[in-house]
Amino acid sequence: MRRSNHKKQIKKPTKPKKPTKRATYGLVLSGGAALGAYQAGAIQALFEAGLSFRCVAGSSIGALNGYLAATREVERMLDFWKKIDRGKLITVQSFTKILFSGGTAFLSDQLQRSLVEQAVHLDALKKSRTKYICTAISLNTGRLHYFHGNQAKNDRELREFILASAAVPGIFPPVKIGEELFMDGGLVRNTPIDALIGERVDTLIAISMEPEHYPEEKLHNTGQIALRTLSIFFRSQANDAMERARYLPQRRVKKILLLRPQLPLPMQQYEFDPKKIAHLIELGYRAGQQFIVRHKLR
């Protein structure tokens, strides 16, 4: 019986594939008062897609949304926006009161403080292991401060950082921290990209509520002109922050992306209309989903 001269081919064991390295992300949140509802919807979409953020920075309302994003309390954030009572925020009576008094703000910050006290806890931030920064301006020196929430001594100090960042001039009183008075950081750094530019993350995602374009429409009164001017100011800040970040020597972030609406959102900054807020959350959520697909984020 003839033996075959063909040797059996022994298959070499295949090397196991190296697991794909998971992308790392940072999150930057602009200020924008009631327009922060759009931001909340976009954040919801990012979290649902499984994105995990190593670091978060925010100004003004972005400071509060930022804390809730850093601690991964997305449901609490959405609940906060859905339950806002505009009757307790800014009213015609509030404006009348300040015009005919010697006060320094339209409103006291008691409601804002109670909301922050319910939502903000240092232990939750420490457990998350997410770096969290919010910005505020010293009225004493005019300097911008980056408050590191993880370095706060206690709940009270962390809450003061956030309240200072959200203390809109003329609307809420300044917040005293140490020997200085602080106000809304959004006046100088409404989109504080530079706060996180030195972090070792693959992609930094900034969310702004100011539009990519403005429609060609007539502005009929002083109020519309003032609000458009404010929007242009904050839009310009976001653009400048993106441009400046490219050349900062401390940059370690590989890529910076800006998520914002194409056209102005259908609500003003201090409108706080519950139906419009719900609509803004949905618009932000859909924009976030489209953003994820467009940039292939997972």
Side-chain angles (χ1 to χ4, degrees), residues 41-53:
I43 292 168
Q44 180 189 10
L46 296 177
F47 271 87
E48 284 186 4
L51 273 63
S52 179
F53 297 99

Side-chain angles (χ1 to χ4, degrees), residues 38 42 46 205-209 257-261 284 287-288 291:
Y38 173 90
L46 296 177
I205 299 172
I207 304 178
S208 171
M209 285 76 83
L257 302 175
L258 180 61
L259 191 169
R260 65 180 173 194
F291 184 83

